[in-house]
Amino acid sequence: MPTRTLPLLRWSPKAVVFDCDGTLMDTERHWQEARNRAFKAFGLRPPHGFAQRAKGVHYADCGRLMAEETQKPELATGLTRALLEHFLALVADEPLTMPGAVEFVRLLSGRLPLAVASNCPAEVVEESLAWAGLRRHFQHVVVPSGTGGRTADADPATRQRPGDLRPKPWPDVYATAARLCGVRPEDALAVEDSLTGVESARRAGLRVVGVGPRPAEEEAGRAELWVSTLHAPELLAWAREWQAGPALP
């Protein structure tokens, strides 16, 4: 294990904020298929390497990127709408969790405040987590404004107001999730699979564990620890040592 990870492994977070797509839910392949279907619907071919560039990007920004890279800027609105419609249909048919996600969330549930910070529309996050049996473990779900943005609080007064939160890589969703969990950003841990999300969490002041295929070393170094899955032995051993965070409601 690289020595640079040791300071992180001696630290206990007071809250944990998870990304959803590709971290908790195996939906990245649905986004990829939705992009392919949207391109096809408009008679377009996906540009080379587009899937990697689109990973972790807010779907509205992705629709604009699809239009720009195919030199069809006038199709941005239609591509964005088609992308979301195809994705919702795919994820409803086949909701899957990432390896180790259920076990890791259950290990932490009730011990620390847990939240989700996602670039996806709120209904996608809520329904995906519910289908997977995970929704009840999270006190808050935070998404960018303009995507059904809200938290999971029951009091409507605590919900996000229009224009409040920008998507990743802006820090807004992670900063808000930490605040709602009742901790300072520097006391919260982010769990992310995309470099876009890692950047968002770092800019918000959270410490970051990356999960999934390890990127190039320079990019992987933006997270303080990178594990292949959420049931990585070093991650589980570390998590079992964490002290309880703020009192849960």
Side-chain angles (χ1 to χ4, degrees), residues 51 58 83 102 109 135 157 166 201 211 215 217 219 242:
H58 184 265
L83 174 63
V102 173
S109 183
R135 180 63 187 87
R166 298 165 295 183
V211 61
E217 191 57 39
E219 295 175 325
W242 296 347

Side-chain angles (χ1 to χ4, degrees), residues 130-154:
W131 287 326
L134 293 175
R135 180 63 187 87
R136 63 188 176 86
H137 297 292
F138 294 96
Q139 285 73 52
H140 307 285
V141 170
V142 183
V143 303
S145 303
T147 61
R150 65 179 188 274
T151 72
D153 299 84

Side-chain angles (χ1 to χ4, degrees), residues 60-165:
D61 292 330
C62 185
R64 286 192 291 271
L65 189 62
M66 293 167 71
E68 290 170 3
E69 292 205 11
T70 54
Q71 300 181 346
K72 297 287 185 180
E74 70 278 8
L75 297 181
T77 299
L79 283 166
T80 300
R81 185 182 302 114
L83 174 63
L84 182 57
E85 289 175 355
H86 286 301
F87 174 77
L88 290 173
L90 289 163
V91 78
D93 287 342
E94 192 179 9
L96 297 173
T97 57
M98 294 299 292
V102 173
E103 296 84 352
F104 189 61
V105 169
R106 287 176 177 170
L107 171 64
L108 302 180
S109 183
R111 295 172 53 204
L112 298 170
L114 302 181
V116 171
S118 175
N119 264 356
C120 280
E123 65 269 21
V124 172
V125 179
E126 298 271 6
E127 291 179 17
S128 296
L129 294 174
W131 287 326
L134 293 175
R135 180 63 187 87
R136 63 188 176 86
H137 297 292
F138 294 96
Q139 285 73 52
H140 307 285
V141 170
V142 183
V143 303
S145 303
T147 61
R150 65 179 188 274
T151 72
D153 299 84
D155 183 357
T158 66
R159 292 185 176 182
Q160 297 163 212
R161 296 183 300 276
D164 275 353
L165 303 187

Side-chain angles (χ1 to χ4, degrees), residues 14-20 112-119 125 138-144 150-153 158 160 164-166 168 170-192 200-201 204-206 246 248:
K14 294 181 180 178
V16 183
V17 184
F18 291 84
D19 172 54
C20 187
L112 298 170
L114 302 181
V116 171
S118 175
N119 264 356
V125 179
F138 294 96
Q139 285 73 52
H140 307 285
V141 170
V142 183
V143 303
R150 65 179 188 274
T151 72
D153 299 84
T158 66
Q160 297 163 212
D164 275 353
L165 303 187
R166 298 165 295 183
K168 306 172 189 179
W170 295 97
D172 301 24
V173 290
Y174 273 108
T176 299
R179 176 178 58 80
L180 290 170
C181 286
V183 305
R184 300 177 303 172
E186 58 266 32
D187 292 328
L189 177 70
V191 184
E192 265 287 353
S200 171
L206 283 72
L248 301 179

Side-chain angles (χ1 to χ4, degrees), residues 197-213:
V198 170
E199 179 65 17
S200 171
R202 282 170 52 93
R203 291 172 66 181
L206 283 72
R207 304 180 82 170
V208 186
V209 167
V211 61

